[in-house]
Amino acid sequence: MTTMARDATTGSAGARSTGVARVPGGVAPVPAGPAGSVEGVPGQAVASGAAAGRGSEIRRHELATFLRSRRERITPEQVGLPRGRRRRTPGLRREEVAQLSAVGVTWYTWLEQARDIQVSEQVLDALARTLLLDAGERAHLFQLAGAVDPSPAAQCSGITPALRLMLRQLEPVPACIQNSRYDILAYNRTYARLMMRDLDTVPPADRNCLVLAYTNAEWRESIVFLDEAMRLMAARLRVSMAGHLGEPAWKMLVKRLRTESAEFREIWERYEVVSARGKTKQFVRPYVGLVTVDHTDLWLAPAQGARMVTYPPADEQSRQRLERLHAIALEAEAEAEAEAEAEAEAGAGEAGAA
């Protein structure tokens, strides 16, 4: 960081002091004004700049401490690495975190040393995944780094209570709200169980149809024509991405898919494009069997923005099976509520006895 001004140096008694300012190509003397200021720069501005610099330094040290603490709590086995016989470092080594996050070892070491370096959203996202951060820890990481988290994990302000009510009232028809990156922003109970046991168990940052279709075994097994679905989603993503080429969230999604899926890399390199259109889809779920639905997009924003995706049944048998899927979701919800109430009553009883 280039320093614009330094404190004035003290001369002999009664002599005027001289400051030093950085200028392109070297330094030049700057006449100093009253104590605490440099000529042309009010003392209050200098103080504010110094305070901001101290705040930035404190944040860097907090970030370094946070990364170190999270690195030390992760075991090699949790990230698929062998422990080895001579490991003395608690948790992961710095070079292991760097390798898993696809960043340089020196660069990551500087980060843990609180060096004044720039950190991109893509790198922070990779570190959050490597260190297995939960939603709160991830938010803390981005805040310490002074960056905006592009992940859809945070609550989307565009999902209004009215839209959530509509999702509920569409049941047993599966429905969700997605953006043009295939991030699942909201969904009803039938949709949560249409392609896996329960979408609620998936971390919010991973609730993306492309990520799930290319990397989640349960989600993939439920899609009858998986190869076609993967190809069409990648082609639609490329069309949508044309208007967001410089945005970190889009680049992060493509980088993640290319890293985690050889299938995506192969399909993405074909450079196929296709416009959005409705179609008939089929899914296979335990307890209900084959379900045939008509995929329909209800656009909530212009220019390929957010949309409500609905899956009305294509035949009577599928309608009955969706009703059964909805009933399963309601039963599981009732059981979870009963368990929560029982735990709350038990906790209240223990507190009273104490």
Side-chain angles (χ1 to χ4, degrees):
M1 183 181 297
T2 302
T3 303
M4 299 305 297
R6 298 174 62 185
D7 292 338
T9 57
T10 304
S12 59
R16 187 173 183 181
S17 302
T18 302
V20 178
R22 302 280 183 184
V23 296
V27 297
V30 178
S37 69
V38 174
E39 188 169 304
V41 183
Q44 184 177 359
V46 173
S48 298
R54 286 194 298 272
S56 178
E57 182 179 0
I58 292 171
R59 246 200 347 258
R60 290 199 306 273
H61 281 281
E62 285 291 320
L63 175 60
T65 302
F66 180 67
L67 287 172
R68 197 158 47 244
S69 70
R70 293 308 180 267
R71 171 172 62 83
E72 291 175 351
R73 75 174 184 176
I74 303 296
T75 65
E77 293 83 359
Q78 286 179 280
V79 292
L81 295 177
R83 172 168 291 277
R85 296 181 179 180
R86 298 184 178 181
R87 178 177 294 271
R88 296 180 180 178
T89 303
L92 298 178
R93 300 186 179 101
R94 284 175 174 172
E95 56 267 27
E96 290 170 336
V97 173
Q99 179 183 0
L100 292 169
S101 305
V103 300
V105 176
T106 300
W107 185 93
Y108 180 76
T109 300
W110 286 352
L111 198 58
E112 280 202 9
Q113 291 175 345
R115 300 279 190 98
D116 188 5
I117 58 177
Q118 296 295 321
V119 191
S120 69
E121 291 89 350
Q122 293 93 326
V123 168
L124 291 171
D125 176 73
L127 290 175
R129 295 183 188 282
T130 297
L131 298 174
L132 307 179
L133 302 186
D134 62 24
E137 291 169 332
R138 180 187 174 97
H140 187 62
L141 173 69
F142 275 82
Q143 186 174 25
L144 288 176
V148 177
D149 188 354
S151 168
Q155 186 74 12
C156 178
S157 58
I159 308 300
T160 64
L163 287 174
R164 295 187 184 279
L165 178 61
M166 287 178 63
L167 290 174
R168 282 294 183 102
Q169 292 182 338
L170 282 170
E171 292 175 339
V173 171
C176 70
I177 296 176
Q178 299 176 15
N179 60 19
S180 50
R181 284 197 309 271
Y182 284 98
D183 296 321
I184 304 170
L185 306 177
Y187 50 90
N188 62 18
R189 291 167 294 195
T190 318
Y191 182 87
R193 294 174 182 272
L194 180 61
M195 284 163 281
M196 60 193 320
R197 186 181 62 82
D198 189 357
L199 184 58
D200 290 346
T201 61
V202 176
D206 295 337
R207 291 177 195 163
N208 175 283
C209 291
L210 273 164
V211 170
L212 293 167
Y214 279 96
T215 67
N216 185 285
E218 185 181 6
W219 189 280
R220 291 164 60 88
E221 289 172 0
S222 72
I223 302 175
V224 174
F225 301 107
L226 178 62
D227 291 342
E228 179 186 7
M230 291 192 298
R231 183 180 63 81
L232 288 176
M233 283 194 292
R236 287 182 62 178
L237 178 70
R238 189 175 285 282
V239 170
S240 299
M241 192 171 179
H244 306 273
L245 293 176
E247 297 179 21
W250 291 77
K251 293 189 291 185
M252 284 168 52
L253 174 61
V254 173
K255 181 177 180 180
R256 178 183 180 184
L257 288 165
R258 289 178 62 90
T259 300
E260 298 182 10
S261 172
E263 289 175 298
F264 179 82
R265 288 197 302 273
E266 191 275 326
I267 292 173
W268 189 250
E269 289 168 2
R270 298 178 192 172
Y271 215 98
E272 294 179 338
V273 295
V274 65
S275 59
R277 61 179 184 271
K279 65 188 301 293
T280 299
K281 294 185 176 182
Q282 291 184 319
F283 305 99
V284 176
R285 296 303 302 143
Y287 308 113
V288 299
L290 179 67
V291 177
T292 305
V293 296
D294 291 321
H295 176 123
T296 304
D297 289 327
L298 306 175
W299 297 98
L300 305 177
Q304 304 291 306
R307 63 187 183 275
M308 181 176 291
V309 182
T310 62
Y311 294 96
D315 52 56
E316 178 60 22
Q317 187 179 56
S318 295
R319 184 189 67 77
Q320 295 176 3
R321 291 177 175 177
L322 285 178
E323 289 178 350
R324 174 57 185 154
L325 202 61
H326 181 232
I328 292 172
L330 294 179
E331 292 170 6
E333 186 176 73
E335 290 176 2
E337 290 177 353
E339 290 178 3
E341 290 178 2
E343 289 178 1
E345 290 177 0
E350 291 176 2

